[in-house]
Amino acid sequence: MSESSSPGAPCCLQVCRLMRPEDTNIVGNVHGGTILKMIEEAGCIVSTRHCNTQDGDHCVAALARVEKTEFLSPMFIGEVAHVSAEITYTSQRSVEVQAHVVAENILTGAKKLTNKAALWYVPCSLKNVEEIKDVPPITYASPELEEEGRKRYETQKALRQSSNERSDEVVAPPPNPVPLSGCGTPRSPVPLAGSSAEKHTVGFSQSSLIHLVGPSDCTMNDFVHGGVTMKLMDEVAGIVAARHCNTNIVTACVDAINFHRKIKKGSVVKVQGRMTFTSNRSMEIEVIVEVEPLVEVDKGKYCAVSAFFTFISLDKKNRPLPVPLLKVEGEDEERRFREGNARYLHNKEKRLAERERQQ
Ligand code: COA
């Protein structure tokens, strides 16, 4: 990544990076997770810098929340991603960063906005990670901007009260009922009709990955970067979506995510995804990150974070395709489908209202 920030403006940062094959899926679309990771890295740098502009212990800004993020246009291999991050509000102990991502075609010079995101960071002392530091206040360009920031802060604070409660209720899905061939268990070439392994059921596409948290995943205080976790989550959600429709799939949006618990170096994370809802042309996938500490075993397993990802299936010209209807089985899956439908209708209404407001 290359970086530029104007002198005397520690609240802003601009970075850019060429998109390479390892950043994309097999047809060359940049993964949503790669973009989320770049955004989070920029946000972490700008907020950590800002929080260390005062005397006292050094601190690292930990990602606490990402507001709902939409992927507005696709980005492709060979394009340059320009990420800009700016501190737009500070409360006593948290920092709001707004980030924009623009994709530049370096052959034609054409640029398009691909993402807008809002992230909240909380400064944790390097000496004692449990100690949250006060944030130096920023200077606002006008009292109106400060007031708007305060309203966003109050709104997210109210919203996360309910999601704090939700995180204790999150239940990881049972193991995938489809055994893999070549792993000692014989597998029928076509999943059994009528069983939970039938195509387009929740069980058929359900997927998980296991990752050992190493130094390259971590911040200076040996806890995982939020961007690393979001990238793993997007990867699993993408596998679920591709298993369901067997086409090129892309991330359309990610609902607000709260990071309630830190994940320490040396932990094993199990990232599990299951489809909860399909509309005509979109799929909603719930992703749960379960953490198992390998050293501090007495802490036991815990759910660090969960989120809903929406994916779209695309044809060869990148136009949205219809997706197979999710076959739900049992009361639990029916309930999740109804809840997914309600989120879908709510999000669609908000998107349409936003579009009208912009016209
Ligand atoms: N979103 C936004 N702000 C949050 C937040 C969230 N999810 N959780 C806490 N905060 C803010 C509070 O508003 C408060 O600021 P204020 O006093 O200005 O209002 C400040 O953080 C401290 O709140 P408190 O309730 O005392 O904090 P906490 O004990 O819940 O700890 C974290 C907050 C973020 C440090 C803690 O939840 C944590 O460690 N989360 C994991 C962070 C991480 O590792 N991220 C990457 C995960 S992969």
Side-chain angles (χ1 to χ4, degrees), residues 40 62-66 90-95 120-124 129-130 132 135 153 156-157 160 163-164 223-230 257-263 304-305:
E40 199 278 320
L63 180 67
R65 178 177 168 91
V66 182
T90 49
S91 71
Q92 195 188 336
R93 294 182 300 163
S94 70
V95 177
W120 294 87
Y121 289 85
V122 174
C124 298
V129 74
E130 298 309 327
I132 297 172
V135 174
Y153 164 74
Q156 59 90 358
K157 206 158 183 171
R160 77 187 140 81
S163 92
N164 268 336
F223 288 93
V224 175
H225 272 291
V228 169
T229 308
M230 288 193 285
I257 314 180
N258 284 297
F259 294 85
H260 302 296
R261 307 272 306 256
K262 295 182 182 67
I263 306 174
V305 50

Side-chain angles (χ1 to χ4, degrees), residues 72-83:
L72 308 167
S73 337
M75 195 187 295
F76 299 101
I77 209 168
E79 292 189 325
V80 170
H82 295 265
V83 182

Side-chain angles (χ1 to χ4, degrees), residues 76-142:
F76 299 101
I77 209 168
E79 292 189 325
V80 170
H82 295 265
V83 182
S84 57
E86 183 183 2
I87 297 182
T88 42
Y89 185 75
T90 49
S91 71
Q92 195 188 336
R93 294 182 300 163
S94 70
V95 177
E96 183 198 48
V97 175
Q98 293 202 20
H100 287 79
V101 185
V102 169
E104 177 198 357
N105 180 323
I106 47 174
L107 303 178
T108 63
K111 287 185 176 173
K112 59 188 188 260
L113 179 70
T114 62
N115 291 84
K116 279 196 280 186
L119 305 93
W120 294 87
Y121 289 85
V122 174
C124 298
S125 160
L126 268 179
K127 274 195 192 148
N128 168 14
V129 74
E130 298 309 327
E131 190 196 329
I132 297 172
K133 309 286 294 176
D134 277 0
V135 174
I138 56 164
T139 311
Y140 298 90
S142 69

